[in-house]
Amino acid sequence: EGQGGYYCYVPIPYRDGCKVTVEGTGVRFYQITYREFPSAADVSSFNMKMSPGQQASLADAKRVWSNLGDLGAFQLAGAEETTLDLAASSGAIRLVLPDGPRMVRAVRLTGTPQELKTMVGARLQFTWDAAQAPSADLPAEYFFGQALDPPPYRSLLTGATDQGWYNLMPMPYRESGSIVVNTNGPASGILRVT
């Protein structure tokens, strides 16, 4: 509900045609947005009764959306992890990732609230393959969606849990990858890359 009406974004595919019927006098305006496919091949018309495969996909989506920030919901538990203890040094710290082809699936900064505050203003630089300059270069609090000290929240890609901050943006690389953490002084916490 919003903007003076109701909305629904459930995708309703159809193969040959679709008819929308509006009943009652309370509806004075409606809008339908659609997209055409190049052909009807492999298009199955919408059906409220889901196939077993669709039910499994819905269960997967429900598991992920019900456990935002939890790597287990993405079935990443047990995946290879590279860590960097930020308390071990200060200044520019470089974390070399395993040889590719690979995909960074999660970057987490774990620590106490006080440890996380030491990372505000630190810069994260991501460099892939033979690039001469970082592909991404931004303050840590922006990368993790924590700029301007928001109230605790969890979303599909960024947020905060009891363990720390997370970013689940997939970042593939072909041959090599590295992350440089430029701190403004002594820092704490552990950067975990899955």
Side-chain angles (χ1 to χ4, degrees), residues 119-152:
M119 288 298 293
V120 171
R123 293 193 75 80
L124 299 179
Q125 298 173 319
F126 297 82
T127 305
W128 313 121
D129 304 319
Q132 297 300 310
S135 298
D137 180 353
L138 69 163
E141 65 271 24
Y142 283 84
F143 178 74
F144 292 107
Q146 301 304 307
L148 306 176
D149 198 23

Side-chain angles (χ1 to χ4, degrees), residues 96-104 128-129 172-177:
V96 177
L97 300 174
D99 290 341
R102 291 181 188 260
M103 178 165 50
V104 171
W128 313 121
D129 304 319
Y173 58 93
R174 187 180 302 272
E175 296 173 0
S176 62

Side-chain angles (χ1 to χ4, degrees), residues 31-186:
Q31 176 179 338
I32 299 171
T33 304
Y34 65 93
R35 182 176 66 173
E36 292 184 51
F37 296 119
S39 74
D42 299 323
V43 175
S44 297
S45 294
F46 180 81
N47 188 333
M48 288 295 289
K49 184 174 180 179
M50 294 187 287
S51 70
Q54 291 168 326
Q55 289 175 352
S57 293
L58 180 61
D60 285 344
K62 182 178 179 182
R63 184 186 70 251
V64 168
W65 282 98
S66 297
N67 297 286
L68 296 172
D70 179 3
L71 295 184
F74 285 92
Q75 299 175 341
L76 297 176
E80 185 177 352
E81 181 177 82
T82 305
T83 62
L84 178 63
D85 186 349
L86 299 170
S89 60
S90 63
I93 311 164
R94 187 169 186 246
L95 176 63
V96 177
L97 300 174
D99 290 341
R102 291 181 188 260
M103 178 165 50
V104 171
R105 196 56 195 89
V107 180
R108 294 172 293 146
L109 183 61
T110 59
T112 66
Q114 293 77 19
E115 290 174 325
L116 296 175
K117 285 183 181 180
T118 67
M119 288 298 293
V120 171
R123 293 193 75 80
L124 299 179
Q125 298 173 319
F126 297 82
T127 305
W128 313 121
D129 304 319
Q132 297 300 310
S135 298
D137 180 353
L138 69 163
E141 65 271 24
Y142 283 84
F143 178 74
F144 292 107
Q146 301 304 307
L148 306 176
D149 198 23
Y153 78 92
R154 294 183 185 190
S155 73
L156 189 61
L157 295 178
T158 64
T161 67
D162 294 340
Q163 290 78 40
W165 301 341
Y166 68 89
N167 181 312
L168 302 180
M169 180 72 68
M171 294 180 280
Y173 58 93
R174 187 180 302 272
E175 296 173 0
S176 62
S178 66
I179 302 171
V180 173
V181 180
N182 283 301
T183 63
N184 293 326

